[in-house]
Amino acid sequence: MAISTIHEARFVLFDDDRQLAFITSFDGPWDAYMEDFFTSGPTLALFDLIFQHAEGYEGLPDLASVKSFILGAQQSAAAYARNYPGTVKEIRKAQRVNAAFEKVLDHPDAAEALRHPALQPLLDEAAG
């Protein structure tokens, strides 16, 4: 299973394509993320596919070697900011709620219910 707490992941080549950075942001503590990473299947396979070309990477199936490679190279960010609140789980739920609300707005039988004053804040937000 893929890791469901990752907001984004990127691979960056630099130093005239001689170095590669793998950068992620995720929800929760580092140790929990690493445990998810090492048992993730698809994410670990992608990491292995890319890093098999990196010097010092011994790769799968030797999970201890992969752990040593990652933990030996890890660096904490000096600063991090993001422009949206919430965990990946909360953001995905908000997207599902928004999609469901859009279906309600598009439904021809919803006009009467949508005139209720309690729904005005939702309608104002949908219009913006």
Side-chain angles (χ1 to χ4, degrees):
M1 169 174 19
I3 302 172
S4 63
T5 58
I6 293 178
H7 284 266
E8 82 278 331
R10 60 185 67 120
F11 296 90
V12 180
L13 286 166
F14 62 100
D15 193 17
D16 204 20
D17 293 346
R18 291 185 307 222
Q19 295 189 53
L20 174 64
F22 174 55
I23 304 163
T24 64
S25 66
F26 52 90
D27 297 325
W30 171 257
D31 290 340
Y33 169 60
M34 283 291 88
E35 183 60 32
D36 287 348
F37 183 87
F38 293 128
T39 59
S40 67
T43 304
L44 190 56
L46 174 62
F47 183 91
D48 186 60
L49 181 69
I50 292 169
F51 277 88
Q52 67 182 320
H53 305 287
E55 194 174 297
Y57 181 71
E58 295 179 26
L60 293 173
D62 185 355
L63 192 54
S65 172
V66 174
K67 285 181 180 182
S68 178
F69 179 80
I70 292 170
L71 299 177
Q74 77 183 26
Q75 297 290 321
S76 294
Y80 174 76
R82 108 177 140 190
N83 293 327
Y84 56 89
T87 65
V88 173
K89 184 177 180 180
E90 291 166 340
I91 292 165
R92 288 188 175 152
K93 179 180 180 183
Q95 290 173 323
R96 290 191 309 273
V97 168
N98 184 62
F101 185 62
E102 290 295 329
K103 284 182 182 179
V104 169
L105 290 176
D106 293 340
H107 196 285
D109 297 333
E112 184 179 339
L114 292 172
R115 283 193 284 276
H116 193 283
L119 294 178
Q120 194 58 49
L122 286 173
L123 295 170
D124 290 346
E125 190 62 37

